[in-house]
Every structure is written in structure tokens, then in C-alpha cells.
Amino acid sequence: MAQNEVSTLKKGLLVLDLVKQRKGITLKEVMHEINLSKSTAFRILSTLEEMEYVYKLQTQYFIHHKMFCESFEKRSEMDWASFNSIYQVAKNLKMSTYVGKMDGSDLVMTQAIHAPYQHSADDEIGNRSKLHQSAIGKVILAHLKEDSLVSLLSKPSLEPATHSTFQDPHLFRYHLKAIRDEGYAFDDEERIPGIRCVAVPIFRNQKVIAALAVAAPVDQISCSNIKHIAKKLHVGSKAITKEFETLVNI
């Protein structure tokens, strides 16, 4: 192998290792970190992207997990920590960010990220609560088919988590309709006193598979900024769906 080929291979491996270490990295950052020219960095990243070792979301490159895990599609359904776009939501909004999915009448937390928004809060993943008790659960319920919703809401009562939790099934149904119409859910200390939460659905093939949310003390989420937060969450939700489809090559 010629010396220039060895040098190029070494640079490519350094770039690949750098992308693998970071939760999103730009072309400019690669140039700076490894001291490469723009043309060299671009050529290496383009080659890695073409070979599906990395993928690009907007201006950032991420490691392509399916190249390093034969069962990525199965793993991705349970390991939301591998979705880089969730970290981007947390960094953009600078709030604790969560993903949860439905399991029966329960909400199961599948991802939790706190400042400085670089790692999962593993001790919170797997935590359970009732779907009706939080924005993240309510937005999932609001997007269920009618027969599934009727079955879930036919239970004897809606168990409260705080004094603010919905307990009237009839009023709750109207609340879910409003959530579906507005496209996001909000809870005002309904699960944890002093904490407010905003959530939007995550779709795959037009079916809700989970929900994305941010939570913060009441003074950080107010009536004046709820819609702004929801708008950013919707952008994040679409990015998660796109990333999922990119990674499993649908």
C-alpha cells in the first residue's frame, strides 16, 4: 500500500473515531479537531457517509449504529439513548428532555437527559407512571385509535399522582380531544409538584410510537412560552422519526 494511501486511511479512521465519540459533529469541528483542510475533511466524511459508516442530519454527522450492530432495528426499539436527535432537542431547549412509550395503561420512560445534555440519566430509564398523569402520557393517549382509548378509560378511576391530576373520565376525554387538535400536551404539576411538562407525539408510519417532552420548574414553563416550546419539540419529533427511518433503512 502506498504511503499516501496509508495516510488517507489513518485520517479516515481518526475521523470515524471522532464522530463515534461525539453526539453530533460538524465539518468545521472535524477540520479543527484533526487539523484537516476543508476539502480533505469533506472528502472523508462524504466517503464515510456513502459507505453508511456515518449519516448526516442538517449540518452534523453521526455514527451509523447499524454498521456496528447487526440487530440495530430490534435494539433501537428499546434503546432510545442511541438517537442523537433527542440530545439535540435537549441542547436546543436547555431543559430536561424525556422520551416515553405506552405499556398497557402505564407510561415507561425510555430516555431521560439532563444538563449538560450529553448522557442519559440511566437511573430514570424504565420508570413507570400512569399514562393520564403527565403530558407525555396524555399526548400518547390523545393519538390512540378510539377503541384502544375506550378500553383504557373504562377503568374504575383515574388514579391521582397530585391534587392537579385529572380524575374525571368525561372531562379527561374532552381534554384529550383538545390535545389532539392542538398537537401537544401540557401538564401543570399533574405528576410532580412544582414541575410543568410539554410533550408532543413521535410518529412512525403515521402511528404514534412514543412521545417527546421537556420538563422544568413552573417558573421556566409558562402560558407565554408553551407554544414556542411545543413548536421546537415538533421539529425534534420529526428529526427523531427521520433518524429512525435513516438508521433502519426504511
Side-chain angles (χ1 to χ4, degrees), residues 67-83:
M67 295 299 293
F68 302 93
C69 177
E70 294 180 358
S71 59
F72 175 79
E73 183 167 7
K74 181 178 179 181
R75 183 175 67 89
S76 66
E77 292 178 1
M78 65 183 95
D79 184 12
W80 287 87
S82 64
F83 284 76

Side-chain angles (χ1 to χ4, degrees), residues 11 27 30-31 34-43:
K11 290 175 182 176
L27 171 64
V30 170
M31 292 165 53
I34 308 181
N35 193 26
L36 298 175
S37 67
K38 184 176 181 179
S39 60
T40 299
F42 178 77
R43 186 172 66 252

Side-chain angles (χ1 to χ4, degrees), residues 61-122:
Y61 293 86
F62 301 89
I63 201 71
H64 212 316
H65 290 283
K66 77 172 186 177
M67 295 299 293
F68 302 93
C69 177
E70 294 180 358
S71 59
F72 175 79
E73 183 167 7
K74 181 178 179 181
R75 183 175 67 89
S76 66
E77 292 178 1
M78 65 183 95
D79 184 12
W80 287 87
S82 64
F83 284 76
N84 296 296
S85 39
I86 303 173
Y87 293 91
Q88 299 306 308
V89 171
K91 290 174 183 176
N92 289 339
L93 284 166
K94 293 181 172 56
M95 292 181 181
S96 293
T97 302
Y98 300 89
V99 171
K101 67 177 184 178
M102 184 175 73
D103 183 13
S105 62
D106 287 348
L107 171 71
V108 181
M109 206 62 66
T110 58
Q111 175 63 307
I113 305 170
H114 305 301
Y117 315 115
Q118 296 177 350
H119 305 286
S120 298
D122 292 339

